[in-house]
Amino acid sequence: MENNATYQLDRERIPQHVAIVMDGNGRWAKLRGKPRLFGHNAGMEALKEIVKRSDVLGVKYLTVYAFSTENWKRPIEEVSGIFKLLIVYMERELDELHANNVKVNIFGDYSKLPKASIDALETALNKTKNNTGLVFNIALNYGGRDEIMRSVRRLAADVRDGKLDPEELTEDMLGAGLYTGGMVDPEVIIRTSGELRLSNFLLWQSAYSEFVFTDVLWPDFTPEEYERCIAEFQGRKRRYGGV
Ligand code: FPP
């Protein structure tokens, strides 16, 4: 089994774009007899360390799935608790992120979040907008199909207005209208907690991504496990449909 193999991280071949589905907060809390929000809080602590390690390793883009378009179905206390954690995270981390030249981006329509969370996010976006180091993308109220639809709708409007001939539409044009426009696609997508799904994350961008699945629950995901996952990715042979 691949998971039992030992991997040696090659610091000369760090992926440019790593995407992570941070899964298992609820189960981590349940195992401790605690409410789900306790797990999300621990998940936030884990995230802090992963952002820092990404920067140290020289990852250029880190994209994390914090809240999906489907997560609204969760109990209201959990949903509002996650949005409050965003505020806590920014209050505690923004100065350090900025000092480390990290640029924060939000993927998804965050206008649907509570005002205080929007304010915290916009403060982070504004403060870090000219930074040139690690690009830290937080997917919030994000869905891959929704993202593709937004880009398609804009292109359809251009066709309607006679600015674009449908025959001239290219993949690059569609890709440019995604939240990741101008970024490289993720070479690797990591999902924690043993679930083997993409769950509407980066559908377009994952066409050639390698998937690394780990049983570790997100709050237990350490920088060491992160490096092991990247090393596992480095052990893959990527062929992009060739031989
Ligand atoms: C998935 O675990 C996790 C989430 C839906 C929320 C992720 C949130 C954080 C990591 C904390 C805050 C984030 C930021 C950006 C500050 P789950 O609840 O689906 O776990 P389960 O599958 O065990 O129930």
Side-chain angles (χ1 to χ4, degrees):
M1 264 296 285
E2 231 174 5
N3 268 339
N4 297 327
T6 21
Y7 295 96
Q8 190 62 43
L9 184 71
D10 179 351
R11 285 176 184 262
E12 304 301 310
R13 291 192 303 125
I14 297 298
Q16 287 188 75
H17 189 169
V18 178
I20 308 182
V21 182
M22 308 182 288
D23 198 6
N25 294 347
R27 275 162 286 164
W28 186 91
K30 195 169 181 208
L31 282 169
R32 287 158 180 80
K34 301 275 192 181
R36 296 177 57 81
L37 264 177
F38 183 76
H40 293 315
N41 194 61
M44 176 185 72
E45 298 297 333
L47 177 59
K48 282 184 192 170
E49 299 309 314
I50 297 311
V51 175
K52 284 170 200 164
R53 186 60 60 97
S54 299
D55 191 27
V56 167
L57 288 174
V59 170
K60 180 65 197 162
Y61 306 99
L62 173 70
T63 305
V64 299
Y65 209 177
F67 195 86
S68 75
T69 46
E70 287 71 41
N71 285 151
W72 293 101
K73 294 181 220 151
R74 296 186 179 209
I76 175 79
E77 310 81 64
E78 182 175 351
V79 171
S80 49
I82 293 174
F83 294 155
K84 281 195 189 121
L85 276 181
L86 283 170
I87 304 173
V88 174
Y89 180 89
M90 291 307 173
E91 276 170 356
R92 290 190 194 155
E93 296 300 295
L94 184 55
D95 286 344
E96 193 181 336
L97 292 172
H98 185 52
N100 286 315
N101 199 21
V102 174
K103 180 182 163 115
V104 177
N105 271 327
I106 306 297
F107 288 1
D109 180 8
Y110 63 90
S111 71
K112 304 290 183 291
L113 272 57
K115 171 89 168 53
S117 302
I118 296 175
D119 289 348
L121 294 172
E122 291 190 333
T123 302
L125 293 174
N126 285 329
K127 187 167 178 132
T128 65
K129 65 173 188 271
N130 296 321
N131 288 350
T132 54
L134 171 70
V135 178
F136 175 32
N137 303 311
I138 307 173
L140 273 173
N141 192 21
Y142 170 88
R145 288 185 177 178
D146 178 67
E147 178 187 34
I148 294 168
M149 286 305 303
R150 288 174 68 247
S151 181
V152 167
R153 234 177 252 122
R154 273 193 228 120
L155 294 169
D158 285 348
V159 169
R160 179 200 58 203
D161 298 342
K163 290 188 223 154
L164 182 66
D165 176 349
E167 293 305 316
E168 285 164 9
L169 252 174
T170 63
E171 291 186 3
D172 283 347
M173 287 181 199
L174 200 153
L178 304 176
Y179 293 113
T180 46
M183 303 179 193
V184 294
D185 288 337
E187 294 99 317
V188 54
I189 299 181
I190 299 169
R191 184 167 188 155
T192 57
S193 89
E195 304 289 342
L196 309 178
R197 290 185 297 280
L198 193 51
S199 299
N200 204 16
F201 191 44
L202 304 177
L203 293 181
W204 177 272
Q205 300 88 336
S206 61
Y208 290 101
S209 304
E210 294 289 333
F211 291 88
V212 174
F213 297 105
T214 169
D215 287 338
V216 173
L217 302 174
W218 176 254
D220 290 329
F221 192 77
T222 57
E224 292 68 41
E225 175 64 7
Y226 181 41
E227 290 194 356
R228 194 202 62 75
C229 289
I230 294 177
E232 180 174 332
F233 154 77
Q234 289 174 334
R236 304 273 177 88
K237 289 187 182 65
R238 307 187 75 206
R239 287 189 291 268
Y240 304 97
V243 287

